[in-house]
Amino acid sequence: AQSVTQLGSHVSVSEGALVLLRCNYSSSVPPYLFWYVQYPNQGLQLLLKYTTGATLVKGINGFEAEFKKSETSFHLTKPSAHMSDAAEYFCAVSGPGGFKTIFGAGTRLFVKA
Amino acid sequence: DVKVTQSSRYLVKRTGEKVFLECVQDMDHENMFWYRQDPGLGLRLIYFSYDVKMKEKGDIPEGYSVSREKKERFSLILESASTNQTSMYLCASSPGGLGAYEQYFGPGTRLTVT
């Protein structure tokens, strides 16, 4: 069975500050891990994904995430927040074939001027 | 670019009505999915389909059915809408096979049942 826990339903940062969104997972098989972003009134779009290989994954809009197997974590970071980063972020885990992708509850990011 | 479209952005229906939500993708993807999104609960899988006329129940199939007669189209049906089905409904698609494929989402349909 697989599950995802996102720590913090809301995160608020100042513009220019570090963004850190936390995600922990559990999986009985080697996981595929994803971060998606949802802007208001839109569907989800992929930010980045981890499959195998390099554990530090770079995505769009300056985001990156590091797969840490020992900590079962896949936290999302961005060095400097921009107002346009305000959105909801979802961490997700799946196995081979992509069936039954499990999504976290989401973290809403607020960026203060 | 993959495009997933949903028939309506907003829909208001009455209790007991039969409701059809349609989803179309243009990238020849084998897999299609229907989710509902509720605050604090993330996305929950209702049904998915890995081929034409094939369907599998997700985590919350009760009160819903689906139809996939053509590869590009996946319909979600609420046989008798109830107020607890008021939600955001998201359709998604992905390629088939064993790769770590991400899902491509439509813009969502916000359904209100009164």
Side-chain angles (χ1 to χ4, degrees):
Chain A
Q2 297 176 310
S3 67
V4 174
T5 301
Q6 291 185 240
L7 299 174
S9 59
H10 296 83
V11 170
S12 182
V13 300
S14 297
E15 193 172 20
L18 172 72
V19 175
L20 171 60
L21 304 182
R22 299 178 187 272
C23 172
N24 288 91
Y25 71 91
S26 71
S27 178
S28 55
V29 296
Y32 300 144
L33 294 160
F34 306 82
W35 276 100
Y36 289 86
V37 61
Q38 184 180 33
Y39 298 104
N41 297 316
Q42 295 185 26
L44 280 68
Q45 64 183 82
L46 182 73
L47 268 181
L48 50 79
K49 68 177 180 182
Y50 168 80
T51 56
T52 59
T55 56
L56 182 62
V57 180
K58 295 187 184 298
I60 61 171
N61 301 337
F63 284 94
E64 63 183 36
E66 187 171 10
F67 170 60
K68 292 187 176 181
K69 184 178 179 180
S70 61
E71 299 177 10
T72 61
S73 69
F74 191 57
H75 302 330
L76 182 71
T77 60
K78 181 174 180 178
S80 177
H82 193 272
M83 297 296 287
S84 61
D85 295 326
E88 190 154 22
Y89 293 80
F90 292 92
C91 182
V93 63
S94 76
F99 293 162
K100 299 297 292 281
T101 298
I102 306 300
F103 289 83
T107 297
R108 185 167 295 278
L109 177 65
F110 297 91
V111 182
K112 300 175 291 186
Chain B
D1 274 355
V2 176
K3 192 165 184 182
V4 180
T5 56
Q6 297 184 226
S7 51
S8 304
R9 294 299 303 273
Y10 299 92
L11 210 51
V12 180
K13 295 292 181 181
R14 293 194 179 276
T15 301
E17 280 193 83
K18 190 169 186 176
V19 181
F20 293 87
L21 303 182
E22 303 243 312
C23 174
V24 177
Q25 51 96 2
D26 66 359
M27 282 302 291
D28 202 35
H29 284 170
E30 282 78 11
N31 303 329
M32 296 190 74
F33 308 83
W34 275 107
Y35 295 91
R36 65 177 282 175
Q37 180 181 11
D38 299 289
L41 297 177
L43 277 68
R44 293 180 291 168
L45 182 64
I46 305 172
Y47 270 94
F48 67 96
S49 168
Y50 53 88
D51 201 352
V52 175
K53 297 190 185 294
M54 306 302 290
K55 60 186 179 185
E56 292 284 341
K57 292 180 180 179
D59 299 317
I60 52 163
E62 296 79 19
Y64 304 94
S65 62
V66 290
S67 172
R68 193 168 181 198
E69 297 295 320
K70 293 186 178 181
K71 190 175 185 179
E72 67 271 18
R73 189 180 297 269
F74 192 35
S75 301
L76 179 69
I77 303 152
L78 287 66
E79 295 289 342
S80 178
S82 64
T83 55
N84 63 13
Q85 292 178 310
T86 291
S87 186
M88 171 71 88
Y89 290 87
L90 293 169
C91 176
S93 71
S94 73
L98 298 178
Y101 299 113
E102 65 267 30
Q103 295 182 14
Y104 296 83
F105 285 83
T109 296
R110 187 166 294 281
L111 173 67
T112 302
V113 183
T114 61

